[in-house]
Amino acid sequence: MFLIRLSRHNPSSFTLLTRRLHDQTTSSRLRDLYNFQSPPPLSSENPDLNQKNNNKKKPKPQYRPPSSLEGVKTVHSDLPFDFRFSYTESSSNVRPIGLREPKYSPFGPDRLDREWTGVCAPAVDPKVESVDGVEDPKLEEKRRKVREKIQGASLTEAERKFLVELCQRNKTKRQVNLGRDGLTHNMLNDIYNHWKHAEAVRVKCLGVPTLDMKNVIFHLEDKTFGQVVSKHCGTLVLYRGRNYDPKKRPKIPLMLWKPHEPVYPRLIKTTIDGLSIDETKAMRKKGLAVPALTKLAKNGYYGSLVPMVRDAFLVSELVRIDCLGLDRKDYKKIGAKLRDLVPCILVTFDKEQVVIWRGKNYKPPKDDDEYSSFIHRESSIDSDGDLSCSRGAQDSPDETTRT
């Protein structure tokens, strides 16, 4: 009766009520038979759905490429010398007057247990605050003892000839190129890598460092504890030693970038010592008009330049060297080396020319052989060998290691 009365007053409400009753009966039957639970209706009153809509996706973090500076332990090296970028083109006797950048270590942050002073990483005092690169004198004696232990007994003439023959260009391509930066720190690691497979390695020297080959040979033997058994122009043969063990090679941390060179005093002064301003100007003008002694080629061999300048000073007080085409840093380094080796006074670097003056009281140095220790070694080298100056300067280096 109640349903009949309700249907008469409002037929739509009756239809809604019957549908609800039908849904409840069907859902109860499905729940009993199949354990079925009907999904919630799609309405805005559902709190779970509103919460999902409000929870938007968080933005992904930006991609960060993997870095070689992360997760690297601090390296300790027992090598008894100060680490520098270039051993032949820098001197501990010359004190810089400033730095071009903060003291960022080129080995990377916290990768080496040595303090970087802006010039070198000293081996003794890790808390050096000055830029003075003076090395501890005790380290030289320690290096000498280590080198004597590795070298052992001296080589015989037959053994030396055999090593030189093995390092000919037609026998092996193992070669280390030494360029304008000289003997760099990372080159030590390259030399030790070659010594894993061969007793000796060929070192090809070109550019500014060849002006003072005695200095190059000294640092090669001093820093690698090896022995130069042959020298022919800019080509050297570096022997590792009788008692050398590749498994006990020293650990050499690598430099990740080239540090900026510090600021050094100016090479060319406003007035030359002992002359007035007018006399200095007249000398510079006269020096640029003097016939050039020689023209230097880029990345050439300059080993004969110092004796040429000394001979020219016997005739003329001013010498001009044509450096057209060379980098400004290169002919400035050439002038600085000539000033110390000849010795002489620098006049000007204008128009890519190096003009030097012998001075008022010039005395020619005594004739001495710079490489007297190699006289007996080079005397037995055949003149028709592959290690010739002209051919070595023209051929492109077959090198697996380039710095």
Side-chain angles (χ1 to χ4, degrees):
M1 295 295 292
F2 175 75
L3 293 175
I4 295 172
R5 291 178 182 178
L6 184 63
S7 62
R8 289 178 179 177
H9 292 285
N10 192 355
S12 61
S13 61
F14 174 75
T15 305
L16 181 63
L17 181 60
T18 54
R19 286 180 179 178
R20 287 182 179 178
L21 291 174
H22 179 72
D23 293 340
Q24 289 179 0
T25 56
T26 55
S27 62
S28 61
R29 290 177 182 175
L30 291 173
R31 187 182 300 109
D32 295 339
L33 296 177
Y34 305 104
N35 196 17
F36 173 78
Q37 294 182 0
S38 59
L42 297 176
S43 62
S44 60
E45 297 177 357
N46 190 1
D48 297 336
L49 185 62
N50 295 336
Q51 186 176 4
K52 289 181 180 179
N53 295 333
N54 293 333
N55 294 339
K56 297 181 179 179
K57 292 183 178 180
K58 297 181 180 179
K60 293 183 179 180
Q62 293 182 354
Y63 174 73
R64 185 178 180 183
S67 176
S68 61
L69 302 179
E70 297 178 355
V72 180
K73 297 182 180 180
T74 303
V75 178
H76 174 72
S77 181
D78 295 328
L79 290 173
F81 56 85
D82 300 345
F83 291 163
R84 297 174 176 269
F85 173 74
S86 177
Y87 296 104
T88 58
E89 303 307 300
S90 61
S91 175
S92 59
N93 299 325
V94 181
R95 180 184 174 89
I97 59 177
L99 299 176
R100 301 181 188 273
E101 63 176 357
K103 297 178 183 179
Y104 295 135
S105 175
F107 298 95
D110 300 330
R111 291 171 62 96
L112 184 66
D113 61 345
R114 297 189 184 186
E115 188 78 15
W116 180 258
T117 65
V119 178
C120 65
V124 177
D125 188 7
K127 297 182 179 179
V128 178
E129 298 180 357
S130 65
V131 297
D132 191 4
V134 178
E135 192 178 51
D136 189 3
K138 295 181 180 179
L139 296 177
E140 186 176 357
E141 182 66 21
K142 186 177 180 180
R143 291 197 300 270
R144 186 184 63 82
K145 292 181 179 179
V146 173
R147 184 169 176 271
E148 290 178 355
K149 181 179 179 181
I150 295 176
Q151 289 300 314
S154 58
L155 294 173
T156 62
E157 192 66 20
E159 291 174 336
R160 190 196 64 81
K161 283 184 178 181
F162 177 74
L163 290 174
V164 174
E165 185 66 25
L166 287 179
C167 292
Q168 298 289 325
R169 292 179 63 89
N170 59 348
K171 294 292 182 66
T172 181
K173 291 186 178 180
R174 296 190 180 280
Q175 176 176 304
V176 176
N177 290 335
L178 192 147
R180 65 174 59 178
D181 291 330
L183 178 62
T184 59
H185 178 78
N186 290 355
M187 284 179 62
L188 303 180
N189 186 64
D190 299 334
I191 292 172
Y192 283 119
N193 289 338
H194 284 295
W195 279 350
K196 285 182 183 178
H197 312 284
E199 291 184 309
V201 61
R202 187 173 64 243
V203 181
K204 186 64 175 291
C205 306
L206 292 175
V208 179
T210 60
L211 195 66
D212 189 6
M213 288 298 296
K214 185 178 181 180
N215 182 46
V216 174
I217 293 171
F218 168 76
H219 283 288
L220 277 173
E221 295 182 344
D222 187 56
K223 301 304 184 294
T224 63
F225 310 115
Q227 180 184 0
V228 177
V229 296
S230 174
K231 173 192 171 295
H232 200 274
C233 293
T235 305
L236 308 174
V237 176
L238 186 62
Y239 172 57
R240 66 184 186 181
R242 290 185 185 274
N243 303 328
Y244 177 80
D245 186 4
K247 296 181 180 180
K248 297 181 180 180
R249 55 172 287 181
K251 193 166 187 178
I252 301 176
L254 298 179
M255 286 191 178
L256 303 182
W257 63 81
K258 178 181 178 180
H260 288 282
E261 295 182 359
V263 182
Y264 290 100
R266 296 188 60 178
L267 295 174
I268 303 295
K269 299 181 180 179
T270 306
T271 57
I272 300 175
D273 295 339
L275 299 179
S276 62
I277 297 178
D278 296 336
E279 291 175 343
T280 301
K281 291 181 179 179
M283 182 169 291
R284 286 173 180 165
K285 186 176 180 180
K286 181 182 178 181
L288 292 173
V290 171
L293 176 65
T294 183
K295 177 177 173 56
L296 299 182
K298 190 174 183 179
N299 295 330
Y301 176 73
Y302 311 141
S304 60
L305 186 60
V306 172
M308 287 175 62
V309 173
R310 289 177 178 176
D311 294 341
F313 276 157
L314 299 176
V315 180
S316 175
E317 64 175 357
L318 286 172
V319 171
R320 179 171 68 91
I321 302 170
D322 189 0
C323 300
L324 193 65
L326 272 68
D327 291 344
R328 184 172 179 81
K329 289 184 179 180
D330 289 351
Y331 60 77
K332 277 191 172 183
K333 290 180 180 179
I334 290 173
K337 289 177 179 289
L338 289 175
R339 179 192 60 182
D340 300 332
L341 297 175
V342 173
C344 58
I345 299 173
L346 297 175
V347 177
T348 183
F349 289 133
D350 293 344
K351 300 180 181 180
E352 299 184 3
Q353 309 293 316
V354 177
V355 180
I356 51 180
W357 179 45
R358 66 182 182 183
K360 291 184 178 180
N361 302 322
Y362 176 74
K363 294 181 180 179
K366 297 180 180 179
D367 295 334
D368 55 345
D369 188 6
E370 291 186 351
Y371 311 107
S372 58
S373 59
F374 298 98
I375 293 177
H376 67 282
R377 302 178 187 175
E378 296 182 359
S379 59
S380 59
I381 299 178
D382 297 333
S383 59
D384 57 346
D386 292 334
L387 299 175
S388 60
C389 294
S390 58
R391 183 177 178 183
Q394 295 175 2
D395 293 345
S396 59
D398 306 334
E399 181 41 33
T400 58
T401 307
R402 188 175 295 273
T403 58

